[in-house]
Amino acid sequence: AQSVTQLDSQVPVFEEAPVELRCNYSSSVSVYLFWYVQYPNQGLQLLLKYLSGSTLVKGINGFEAEFNKSQTSFHLRKPSVHISDTAEYFCAVSEVQAGTALIFGKGTTLSVSS
Amino acid sequence: DTGVSQDPRHKITKRGQNVTFRCDPISEHNRLYWYRQTLGQGPEFLTYFQNEAQLEKSRLLSDRFSAERPKGSFSTLEIQRTEQGDSAMYLCASSLAHGPQETQYFGPGTRLLVL
């Protein structure tokens, strides 16, 4: 079975500062990795995904993430955040073989202030 | 393509009542998923369909829960004899299954409050 740990429940940052949201996973099989964002009162929107190939993945809104197999991590980064990036961010995994249910972490609340 | 839609967006009910939620997936998507999200938690998988077949159910899906996708298009999730612990956001997602590129697209959710 897989599990996902998001190491920070809340991350407060100032506008234009860099940010890193940390995600570690545990699995006995190969996995696909995802980051979703949830704005207030909205559904989840895919930010980026890692399926295979280059370990650095670029997503929407200037976000990127790096897959590190040895550390079983998939941290999300943005070099300069905006007020509009304030949201809940979820890391998720799914088994490569099954490719069905997503297993989510508990989420990280990113709060960007001016 | 208008995305995944869910109806209703909010539902308040009294304990013991039955409720039904509807999900309309993206039109060409053949897979449909239901998740439950409680406050402060990430979404938890409940069940999924490929076309009209229900292929997997989580142990979270007690016998009070039933889901259908009768024609392989929209889906309904029914909760019978609701309990206060059923209060949560119910999320629907859909995808087009064609190998490892599958991405699940989520609807806005139905927020259920059981009094």
Side-chain angles (χ1 to χ4, degrees), chain B residues 70-91:
Chain B
K71 297 183 179 179
S73 57
F74 73 92
S75 174
T76 57
L77 177 68
E78 181 183 16
I79 309 175
Q80 296 182 327
R81 305 181 304 280
T82 52
E83 302 173 355
Q84 289 184 327
D86 297 331
S87 295
M89 175 79 87
Y90 290 84
L91 296 167

Side-chain angles (χ1 to χ4, degrees), chain A residues 24-75:
Chain A
N24 285 90
Y25 69 93
S26 173
S27 178
S28 57
V29 299
S30 296
V31 295
Y32 297 134
L33 295 151
F34 306 82
W35 275 99
Y36 282 85
V37 60
Q38 187 174 35
Y39 298 103
N41 299 315
Q42 294 187 28
L44 283 81
Q45 179 182 3
L46 181 68
L47 273 178
L48 48 80
K49 60 185 177 183
Y50 172 80
L51 302 179
S52 64
S54 172
T55 58
L56 183 63
V57 180
K58 293 189 182 298
I60 62 172
N61 301 340
F63 283 93
E64 63 180 32
E66 185 158 18
F67 170 54
N68 187 318
K69 188 174 182 179
S70 63
Q71 297 187 4
T72 61
S73 68
F74 191 54
H75 300 334

Side-chain angles (χ1 to χ4, degrees), chain A residues 32 34 36 38 41-46 49 51 88 90 98-107, chain B residues 9 31 33 35 37 40-43 45 48 56 89 91 100-108 111:
Chain A
Y32 297 134
F34 306 82
Y36 282 85
Q38 187 174 35
N41 299 315
Q42 294 187 28
L44 283 81
Q45 179 182 3
L46 181 68
K49 60 185 177 183
L51 302 179
E88 189 84 10
F90 292 96
T100 55
L102 291 168
I103 307 300
F104 286 87
K106 292 186 176 182
Chain B
R9 294 290 305 276
R31 282 188 177 167
Y33 306 78
Y35 291 83
Q37 184 179 17
Q41 302 293 320
F45 170 74
Y48 97 95
E56 188 175 348
M89 175 79 87
L91 296 167
Q101 301 301 315
E102 176 182 1
T103 296
Q104 296 182 28
Y105 295 88
F106 284 79
R111 187 173 294 281

